[in-house]
Amino acid sequence: MAEIISATSGRALQQAAALLAAGEVVAIPTETVYGLAGDATNGEAVARIFEAKGRPRFNPLIAHVADMRMANRIGVFDSLSERLAEKFWPGPLTLVVPLQAGSGIHPLTTAGLDTIALRMPKGFGGELIAHLGRPLAAPSANSSGRISATTAAAVAADLGARIPLVVDGGQTPVGLESTIVKVEDGRLRLLRPGGISAEELEDAAGTELVRGAHGIEAPGMMASHYAPGAAVRLNVDDVHPGEALLAFGPSRAAGWQNAVAVTNLSEQADLREAATNLFAFLQELDRGGAATIAVEPIPLQGLGEAINDRLARAAAPRDNTVKEA
């Protein structure tokens, strides 16, 4: 079971930072809800977040920062986004902005998108990020489909057997997730309502909010598919000449020697490693210019469910259909 340490304890900050630096996940208090935090630059740590929550999907995660200097290393801020950050950070506002080149954020955090959802938390979360010196991905600390946790006891009852540490900061003051907005062509779009009201945002922005999203842009949304430029052929038992091969495990599909390029998600058939590598390896094969990427079968259990879900979307017809969760 997870150890529970008070946020005011002298060892909470050091112990949480040590676990995070080692690629582990830690439940931490924020002003919104408790977050399941992992190093946003470490693919294995982010994969552990999905694994601990159960029945994961590759949706983008919010990257939490300590200050604007860290935020500017990760995202590109227009003038309106800067104004909103100055007004509401630290606090329960998440801004979706373009991802900086060389940001160091792992693609599993962004779900392969070219944007990043950023938030600056108050209290222990902000102190921990500053101490660690790295941004933290931190979705709500609860099993998928369950109510978000607003106390350490609720986190421990749900996830205590799956994580090493819960930092107890008491009851969270906001009690619901952050508001998520995105500036697009000078207009402010609401992607998810939350701890800051639309009226507060409109007053600060000096403009009306536009509601609705275009595909997967932030946590809590679902795209119809993740689509590389190449076509994707799933669960192959043979490789056609000229195809690129996304392999899995120690055994190869027949004709793999015909592939123009081969990457292996995990030679040891480790699903966590495969989840960590999926977006980067798909992008690598896609950049090679093959018309089709053939994908070897991947088990459905554990993180394999999420991997297969994402691959199925990658292979879906390119009709640009969007579904919202």
Side-chain angles (χ1 to χ4, degrees), residues 33-174:
V33 297
Y34 275 74
L36 186 60
D39 182 352
T41 69
N42 182 331
E44 185 171 343
V46 179
R48 281 195 170 103
I49 292 174
F50 285 109
E51 189 174 37
K53 285 177 69 71
R55 295 185 60 82
R57 292 185 179 274
F58 286 132
N59 287 330
L61 302 178
I62 296 170
H64 295 72
V65 298
D67 50 37
M68 280 305 299
R69 183 177 179 182
M70 183 180 289
N72 280 309
R73 290 201 305 266
I74 298 169
V76 180
F77 284 75
D78 60 275
S79 59
L80 179 52
S81 295
E82 283 185 348
R83 188 158 79 246
L84 293 173
E86 289 172 2
K87 171 70 174 178
F88 294 110
W89 280 2
L93 176 68
T94 294
L95 294 165
V96 176
V97 297
L99 186 66
Q100 284 277 17
S103 68
I105 296 294
H106 194 275
L108 195 57
T109 303
T110 62
L113 297 173
D114 59 3
T115 55
I116 181 76
L118 293 174
R119 186 168 92 81
M120 187 188 299
K122 295 180 180 178
F124 181 86
E127 294 171 13
L128 178 60
I129 298 163
H131 182 82
L132 185 67
R134 302 176 208 168
L136 293 179
S140 57
N142 56 279
S143 294
S144 180
R146 294 196 179 181
I147 297 171
S148 296
T150 57
T151 66
V155 177
D158 185 0
L159 301 179
R162 305 179 211 167
I163 62 176
L165 179 65
V166 178
V167 177
D168 187 354
Q171 178 83 29
T172 60
V174 175

